[in-house]
Amino acid sequence: MYYILLVASLCCFACDLNVGTGATKKDKMLVEVVRFDQLESRYLTTGDFSALQDMQTEYTEETRSLIEDVTKIGSSNEPNITSKFLTFFQDTLLQNLIAEVEVQYSDMSDINKALSKSFQRAQKALPNMAIPTVYAQIGSLDQSVVVNKNTIGISLDKYLGSDYALYKRFYNEEQRATMTRDYIVADCLGFYLFSLYPTCCNKYKTEEEKQWHIAVVQWVVNHLSGKTYFQTDEVRKVQVYMQKNKDFSVQKLLEVCNYRFIFES
């Protein structure tokens, strides 16, 4: 009897472990956006010194990139750079941006899910590709995405919706069409792929060759995301070619230097 009870207990314990492990794996996303923006917002709206300390110690590279590459207000090593950074964001327009970002992006679980699915497909298509760390920040209406090595910084202030009133003062209708929540995934994939496969970027003989390379990356973004973000004639030509040549891999496509065989066939 004791033996039977012992075996039953062990079986139950094993079942609990399996259930627990399965749930953890299921709930764990491949890509989860690091909320650097929330820490940044706390410092910029309240002047909380502890938030600044966390930015400088826990997110050193993200803070450096924000100061030097996004806002471009100086070197992160300057003695007075933190007060300069705080003053820069005291502008009323930027304060309104921060407030709007807090409202629209209090929850990013949908973006985590979409990014995870896209990068899972990317892992299969590009086995040697490192999965990047993705973090959110608040910029100055300048750059949408910043890529540094294996990190992607998303400037949420560039994704507040095509009808966001402030955008109409600085961007045309075509530009605003891509400044939506939905395009975060497309831009993350696109900019990251450009950083990994800058095929002949500095050796284009013509503007046409540059546009071909952009179209190829845009097609790959559509393919990996499972959505049609880009629908230009050039992207459609890539689609036709890949449908006809199913043995031609995504990786091989991205590694090609001359795309004339696709666009001039």
Side-chain angles (χ1 to χ4, degrees):
M1 179 64 69
Y2 287 123
Y3 176 75
I4 294 172
L5 289 174
L6 177 61
V7 171
S9 298
L10 288 174
C11 288
C12 290
F13 180 66
C15 289
D16 286 341
L17 282 178
N18 288 334
V19 171
T21 304
T24 300
K25 288 182 178 178
K26 183 179 179 181
D27 295 339
K28 180 68 175 176
M29 292 284 150
L30 180 64
V31 178
E32 293 191 27
V33 179
V34 178
R35 299 307 305 268
F36 173 68
D37 64 296
Q38 294 179 336
L39 199 59
E40 178 191 354
S41 175
R42 202 170 94 215
Y43 173 61
L44 295 177
T45 56
T46 67
D48 186 343
F49 186 69
S50 65
L52 174 63
Q53 287 182 313
D54 289 341
M55 288 174 63
Q56 293 176 321
T57 56
E58 296 181 28
Y59 301 99
T60 306
E61 187 56 33
E62 291 84 350
T63 302
R64 183 209 61 76
S65 178
L66 178 61
I67 291 172
E68 297 180 4
D69 303 329
V70 179
T71 61
K72 301 176 183 177
I73 59 174
S75 170
S76 58
N77 295 322
E78 290 179 24
N80 65 336
I81 196 63
T82 54
S83 59
K84 192 175 179 180
F85 177 62
L86 187 60
T87 301
F88 177 83
F89 276 94
Q90 293 308 305
D91 181 279
T92 303
L93 292 180
L94 295 181
Q95 285 291 310
N96 290 338
L97 276 179
I98 294 171
E100 189 64 29
V101 166
E102 288 182 343
V103 171
Q104 290 198 27
Y105 289 96
S106 59
D107 179 19
M108 294 185 69
S109 57
D110 59 320
I111 296 171
N112 290 337
K113 185 176 180 180
L115 283 172
S116 293
K117 285 185 176 180
S118 297
F119 277 104
Q120 281 172 350
R121 295 188 186 104
Q123 274 186 322
K124 294 179 181 179
L126 307 165
N128 296 324
M129 187 194 74
I131 300 300
T133 297
V134 182
Y135 68 93
Q137 64 185 356
I138 302 170
S140 55
L141 285 179
D142 187 9
Q143 301 180 57
S144 303
V145 173
V146 177
V147 179
N148 289 308
K149 297 180 181 178
N150 290 329
T151 64
I152 302 174
I154 312 165
S155 295
L156 297 180
D157 51 288
K158 292 293 293 292
Y159 299 97
L160 297 177
S162 57
D163 294 328
Y164 186 54
L166 182 60
Y167 290 168
K168 296 179 181 180
R169 295 173 51 180
F170 303 103
Y171 304 99
N172 61 40
E173 186 175 357
E174 184 179 357
Q175 291 171 319
R176 296 198 307 273
T178 63
M179 299 174 71
T180 66
R181 188 185 188 98
D182 190 46
Y183 268 85
I184 287 177
V185 174
D187 285 349
C188 282
L189 282 171
F191 282 101
Y192 192 55
L193 288 172
F194 275 121
S195 75
L196 297 177
Y197 299 93
T199 310
C200 302
C201 280
N202 299 320
K203 301 178 182 178
Y204 294 127
K205 295 178 181 178
T206 65
E207 179 65 23
E208 188 176 45
E209 290 180 343
K210 180 180 179 181
Q211 294 305 315
W212 289 346
H213 181 58
I214 291 173
V216 165
V217 172
Q218 289 178 333
W219 178 85
V220 175
V221 169
N222 287 349
H223 178 69
L224 296 180
S225 65
K227 301 185 70 171
T228 308
Y229 288 105
F230 307 102
Q231 304 183 60
T232 65
D233 290 339
E234 289 79 8
V235 172
R236 280 189 276 270
K237 286 184 178 180
V238 180
Q239 172 72 8
V240 169
Y241 181 85
M242 294 302 285
Q243 285 180 332
K244 290 181 178 178
N245 299 272
K246 296 191 180 295
D247 293 335
F248 199 79
S249 68
V250 172
Q251 182 162 334
K252 189 172 181 180
L253 176 68
L254 287 169
E255 291 173 348
V256 169
C257 189
N258 190 329
Y259 291 107
R260 291 186 182 279
F261 66 96
I262 294 177
F263 297 98
E264 292 186 349
S265 59

